[in-house]
Amino acid sequence: MGATGGLIGFVAVSAIAAVLIAAAMTPAVAIAGLAANSTIDVFEAIPDSLSIGELAEGSNIYATNADGSYHKLATFYEQNREEAGWEDISQFVKDAAVAVEDPRFWEHGGVDLQGTVRAVALTLMDDDNMQGGSSLTQQYVKNVLVQNAVMAASTPEEQEAAVAAAIETTPYRKLKEMRMAIALEKRYSKAEILRGYLNIAHFGGTVYGIEAASKYFFGGVSAMDLTLEQAASLIAIVNNPEKFRLDRPESEKNGEANGYAANTLRRDHILGKMLEHGKITAAQFDTAVATAVSPVVTSPNTGCQAAGGSGFFCDYVYWTIRNDDAFGATPDERIEKLRRGGLEIYTTLDLPLQVTAEAALNENVPSVDPRFDVGATAVTVQPNTGRVLSMVQNKTFSNDPEVLEANGPGWTSVNYNTDIDYGGSSGFQPGSTYKVFTLAEWLNAGHSLRENFDGRKRSFSRWINSCTGNFTAAFNPRNDDGRIASDAVNATKWSVNTSYMAMASQLDLCKLQQTIEAFDIHRADGDPLQMNPSDVLGTQEVAPITMAAAFAGIANGGLTCSPIVIDRILDRSGAELEPPKSTCRQSVEPSVAAAMAYAMRQTFSGDGTAVASNTGSGVPHIGKTGTTDDAKDTWMIGSSTTAATAVWVGNVIYDANLRDLSFESGAAATARHRIWPRIMAYADARWGGAAFAEPDPSAFRVIQADIPDVRGKTLEEARGILEGAGFGFDDAGPQDSELPAGQVSSTNPTGTAPKGSVVSVHTSNGALVLLPGVIGLSEQAARAALAGFAVQVRVVAVTDKALDGKVTESNPAPGTPIRPGAAVEITVGRSG
């Protein structure tokens, strides 16, 4: 609309306004005879109902200090606003707003006729300077209409269109605002309207409302504590937020160099109006105008980047809300609730533990390494609740592409602790930490901790799978060192690959997968979990938080609770909202968990693989180390009864061998053992930990079995018989024997042995013969029978004539296996 057209419309509106004001103050019968009947009809046709919805208000996320107080991590908002009560707003602010915007605010009924007429007159005198003439109540109505349009829109484009429609300069919109203002003043007190105006007002950028503006522009000062000149500077911004805002110190027209000239000029005008209307004294005026405008811009904690080292945990909270339909039907609705809903979100994060974990990680793993893309995480979960107590990463969090580009590989938006659907990565191979689930199924299937098996290095090719069918797939794992374990305790203590493959080869892989899934183990990328033979050794990509929660479940008697990050949520009214709950399931029976815990405790003793992670606190721990092929990923996961921590150090991408590298803190492959005990030592000191339940004695049973007699069998026949009887088979090679070459000549042990133990089987080399029986033969006949042996004769005197000249004894005894050519001594009797 051009200036002339706008002026005509404005004059018409002003004329109607007079009738509207009269209508607001005069009974209809008193104006029935006016010539403006048609105008009143127009007026009556305009809706007067104004729905004052909830203002968009940011949501705050808090962590807990050691003393139980709360620390704000971050704020999510679309409009940075904190609603203030009437008593929470300085009188200077209230007086400044009224003095400059609507001096007759306390007297009129919603529309100021004098102000409207004055605006028309000024506009007539200056066609290029159209005056609004709106009362504070009208301005409040306009802001509410804009706010309602914003809240109803779902996308930025929808918001822009809705706001444009709400503020379109037309006579009808002006009449609508007037009618609504008149109706509003009949429903609310003046104080309520002025408070609403000050809470909804825009102060530039994303800053809305007097409380947020006060804290933002003046160093955290609350609206109730504003000085006179500060109050006037803020009210100055409302007139034209872009022109008068104080957070652009480089501005040529309103910046630090010129003393914020534009704002100062408007502020002093407001101060003059306050003096004119008797709200301040001349002395107050003189002091205020002599005071320079001096903003101390204090940006609020906006988004998770502001949470510092807790940024990745904060982002996990964000994704938890985004993925939970309790917060809205769609992800967009849930995030809008977070940005506009004024929620107070109290998380599970324990700030002292978080700080400890940050220091432990940052002092032992760099954020950037020129040799490879280094990654490291540590996450702690409370066993009986699933509460995530800390979550750290060796990077700095940001989800701003420009920030990420500017800062390089030390910054990322990817949370290595979590699943891809929660802002995380596609996961990492957990290596030997995964073996504990085979231990669980070993015990589930009725095996014991001390039951023997053949843990030697060999090829495994027979696999049972009741779900997809048995199959043959040769797998030849190697061990990290030369130790071999023949029971589950030592297999766990030393983390022997071949021993665990021996256990798995006796299990149903289908049931093993079901046990793994019972601990809520799943792939971080969302793909189905696989159960190939190699997966026994941890080749599926899993998120660290998933592993931490599973170990917490073992420590919790087999009851695994899903991770949660929110303890309480309050809405803007202070009412409690239901936070996402942990789901707990009995992954294994308590007796199985107790037996697992026993074996996992041994890793911290003697020559166990987790000895380097001992905290020295005296608190009992269970644990398991993990190292993937070529040391690409290294893990230390363990738990007390009060805290479970998973530490991962490895390659984000690429394949550097951590055993070949060192950090400033020491060997890269052992960084996990410098991080885990620091975190857990703090947890031990803070929360302690009870002793783990001892296993039932049956968990240690060793079943004895008779070793079958396989002498004279072929080697393969002996293998089948022994393995069929539940023993391991070891080809111990040939030995001297009288049996035909190739036949089994002996076993070690013989008799009985623990079922599952290895029986060494020797085969004959055919090198021996049985010594012939020569007792009772004549010396000559004996010599003939012993041809091929070196015969020596010993003569003894006898009295029995029947023994005269006869062999009475041989050494070795007849029937003894002996090598041909060996010496044989015979004794011959001689009488008289």
Side-chain angles (χ1 to χ4, degrees):
M1 180 184 295
T4 303
L7 177 60
I8 294 171
F10 194 80
V11 171
V13 168
S14 301
I16 295 172
V19 178
L20 299 188
I21 296 168
M25 300 179 177
T26 309
V29 66
I31 59 171
L34 293 177
N37 281 346
S38 60
T39 301
I40 294 177
D41 290 341
V42 172
F43 163 68
E44 294 293 348
I46 297 174
D48 67 348
S49 176
L50 177 65
S51 174
I52 303 177
E54 292 182 334
L55 298 178
E57 189 170 354
S59 297
N60 298 315
I61 295 179
Y62 300 93
T64 305
N65 293 309
D67 61 2
S69 61
Y70 297 109
H71 170 80
K72 185 189 290 186
L73 292 177
T75 299
F76 287 88
Y77 61 74
E78 192 171 89
Q79 297 180 358
N80 178 19
R81 174 187 285 110
E82 297 180 48
E83 285 204 61
W86 178 253
E87 299 299 328
D88 299 325
I89 303 173
S90 164
Q91 190 60 42
F92 289 137
V93 172
K94 301 168 188 173
D95 289 341
V98 171
V100 72
E101 296 293 342
D102 190 359
R104 284 168 293 280
F105 171 73
W106 299 101
E107 289 82 37
H108 63 62
V111 178
D112 179 14
L113 178 59
Q114 183 177 341
T116 301
V117 172
R118 182 183 67 83
V120 172
L122 290 174
T123 300
L124 288 171
M125 289 185 289
D126 184 359
D127 188 57
D128 294 325
N129 186 24
M130 295 186 68
Q131 301 293 308
S134 295
S135 68
L136 272 176
T137 310
Q138 288 174 256
Q139 293 182 47
Y140 179 45
V141 167
K142 177 181 178 181
N143 284 336
V144 169
L145 292 173
V146 170
Q147 183 70 203
N148 289 348
V150 169
M151 294 294 283
S154 299
T155 66
E157 293 75 18
E158 290 178 3
Q159 287 185 17
E160 184 177 352
V163 170
I167 64 175
E168 184 182 6
T169 303
T170 65
Y172 177 81
R173 183 187 64 77
K174 201 70 176 178
L175 287 173
K176 181 179 178 181
E177 286 177 8
M178 290 178 179
R179 177 157 166 74
M180 287 183 170
I182 293 168
L184 200 65
E185 296 242 3
K186 294 178 180 179
R187 294 170 54 198
Y188 298 99
S189 69
K190 289 285 188 178
E192 289 174 319
I193 292 171
L194 180 55
R195 172 184 169 272
Y197 169 80
L198 293 171
N199 276 321
I200 203 171
H202 185 204
F203 289 85
T206 59
V207 182
Y208 289 79
I210 189 62
E211 180 70 13
S214 178
K215 291 179 177 178
Y216 176 68
F217 288 111
F218 292 111
V221 173
S222 176
M224 69 171 64
D225 298 321
L226 287 167
T227 64
L228 171 60
E229 57 271 14
Q230 288 173 337
S233 276
L234 291 182
I235 295 303
I237 297 174
V238 176
N239 179 259
N240 190 326
E242 288 303 305
K243 179 179 180 180
F244 298 126
R245 59 194 293 182
L246 297 173
D247 56 354
R248 292 175 176 171
E250 72 286 353
S251 171
E252 294 181 4
K253 296 182 179 180
N254 187 50
E256 188 174 14
N258 63 15
Y260 299 95
N263 183 279
T264 299
L265 185 64
R266 178 69 181 174
R267 179 201 69 172
D268 293 348
H269 169 72
I270 294 171
L271 291 170
K273 288 294 184 181
M274 295 176 74
L275 177 63
E276 176 186 339
H277 293 289
K279 300 302 181 182
I280 58 174
T281 65
Q284 286 177 306
F285 172 81
D286 291 340
T287 299
V289 296
T291 302
V293 173
S294 302
V296 181
V297 176
T298 305
S299 297
N301 291 336
T302 307
C304 289
Q305 183 174 318
S310 302
F312 293 100
F313 174 86
C314 173
D315 189 59
Y316 189 40
V317 175
Y318 167 91
W319 281 93
T320 296
I321 292 172
R322 188 181 188 276
N323 291 340
D324 194 324
D325 57 14
F327 294 94
T330 66
D332 287 342
E333 287 184 23
R334 298 162 200 158
I335 296 309
E336 286 307 305
K337 189 175 185 68
L338 181 65
R339 291 174 175 170
R340 301 178 182 180
L343 304 178
E344 299 291 298
I345 302 169
Y346 298 91
T347 72
T348 60
L349 190 72
D350 183 85
L351 199 58
L353 180 65
Q354 176 76 2
V355 170
T356 300
E358 287 177 31
L361 197 74
N362 294 335
E363 290 171 18
N364 285 286
V365 182
S367 62
V368 177
D369 190 309
R371 299 166 296 182
F372 72 115
D373 190 358
V374 59
T377 65
V379 57
T380 301
V381 175
Q382 194 171 54
N384 60 339
T385 64
R387 298 174 69 246
V388 179
L389 301 176
S390 69
M391 178 181 285
V392 296
Q393 187 165 313
N394 71 318
K395 309 287 184 181
T396 302
F397 176 81
S398 177
N399 52 13
D400 185 331
E402 293 183 2
V403 171
L404 295 176
E405 183 177 359
N407 288 282
W411 290 58
T412 184
S413 63
V414 179
N415 188 348
Y416 303 150
N417 281 287
T418 61
D419 293 342
I420 199 166
D421 287 343
Y422 281 80
S425 73
S426 57
F428 308 98
Q429 291 187 3
S432 292
T433 62
Y434 209 71
K435 291 173 181 172
V436 298
F437 308 120
T438 296
L439 175 62
E441 181 53 25
W442 175 258
L443 296 164
N444 275 343
H447 298 284
S448 79
L449 291 172
R450 291 298 184 185
E451 178 179 328
N452 288 87
F453 49 75
D454 182 3
R456 294 168 303 152
K457 186 179 186 306
R458 62 190 194 278
S459 177
F460 298 87
S461 59
R462 300 175 183 176
W463 304 100
I464 303 167
N465 193 315
S466 61
C467 292
T468 59
N470 301 340
F471 64 100
T472 300
F475 184 55
N476 298 275
R478 65 177 186 269
N479 291 325
D480 207 37
D481 55 34
R483 289 180 293 191
I484 298 297
S486 59
D487 63 48
V489 174
N490 286 325
T492 304
K493 180 178 182 178
W494 301 329
S495 194
V496 184
N497 289 345
T498 54
S499 297
Y500 261 94
M501 294 311 300
M503 295 162 65
S505 68
Q506 298 184 47
L507 302 176
D508 182 343
L509 293 184
C510 175
K511 292 183 178 179
L512 174 53
Q513 179 170 344
Q514 291 168 357
T515 295
I516 294 171
E517 291 172 339
F519 282 97
D520 198 24
I521 297 297
H522 54 274
R523 289 182 58 88
D525 60 9
D527 288 346
L529 193 72
Q530 301 295 311
M531 192 63 250
N532 301 304
S534 61
D535 293 321
V536 170
L537 305 182
T539 57
Q540 293 291 295
E541 285 81 10
V542 182
I545 193 171
T546 302
M547 295 299 294
F551 274 59
I554 300 169
N556 192 38
L559 184 66
T560 305
C561 298
S562 61
I564 56 170
V565 288
I566 301 174
D567 280 336
R568 295 177 65 213
I569 305 176
L570 303 180
D571 67 14
R572 66 177 71 229
S573 70
E576 294 269 359
L577 300 179
E578 188 76 15
K581 295 293 187 183
S582 177
T583 301
C584 299
R585 64 186 295 186
Q586 196 69 46
S587 306
V588 292
E589 291 301 314
S591 59
V592 170
M596 293 176 70
Y598 176 86
M600 294 168 68
R601 294 206 309 269
Q602 310 315 308
T603 64
F604 291 98
S605 65
D607 55 354
T609 58
V611 166
S613 278
N614 269 318
T615 65
S617 66
V619 172
H621 296 132
I622 62 173
K624 187 71 193 69
T625 55
T627 304
T628 60
D629 286 348
D630 301 319
K632 177 181 177 181
D633 301 283
T634 61
W635 295 76
M636 175 62 209
I637 312 178
S639 183
S640 66
T641 57
T642 60
T645 297
V647 173
W648 165 79
V649 181
N651 290 254
V652 179
I653 53 175
Y654 308 128
D655 298 297
N657 188 320
L658 268 63
R659 286 176 172 164
D660 297 336
L661 304 173
S662 290
F663 302 138
E664 288 186 9
S665 63
T670 59
R672 53 185 165 159
H673 293 307
R674 298 189 292 276
I675 299 166
W676 192 90
R678 280 186 61 181
I679 297 170
M680 287 301 293
Y682 178 86
D684 292 348
R686 180 85 175 277
W687 297 294
F692 291 95
E694 290 297 327
D696 186 85
S698 63
F700 301 99
R701 71 188 182 281
V702 177
I703 301 173
Q704 296 287 330
D706 293 330
I707 299 175
D709 182 5
V710 291
R711 274 179 54 84
K713 303 293 185 183
T714 66
L715 202 60
E716 285 308 307
E717 287 173 338
R719 178 193 296 272
I721 292 170
L722 289 170
E723 290 182 347
F727 291 97
F729 173 88
D730 176 40
D731 181 358
Q735 67 178 179
D736 290 346
S737 171
E738 80 285 3
L739 293 178
Q743 288 186 4
V744 173
S745 53
S746 69
T747 62
N748 184 29
T750 59
T752 62
K755 191 173 184 179
S757 59
V758 177
V759 176
S760 297
V761 177
H762 290 278
T763 51
S764 174
N765 58 7
L768 303 182
V769 295
L770 295 177
L771 188 67
V774 294
I775 305 299
L777 297 180
S778 66
E779 178 182 345
Q780 184 178 4
R783 285 182 180 276
L786 294 173
F789 294 96
V791 178
Q792 299 176 357
V793 178
R794 185 170 69 92
V795 178
V796 297
V798 295
T799 58
D800 186 348
K801 295 289 186 180
L803 297 178
D804 185 27
K806 305 294 185 181
V807 176
T808 61
E809 183 180 356
S810 74
N811 184 28
T816 300
I818 188 171
R819 189 177 296 278
V824 177
E825 182 184 73
I826 61 173
T827 301
V828 177
R830 289 283 187 266
S831 62

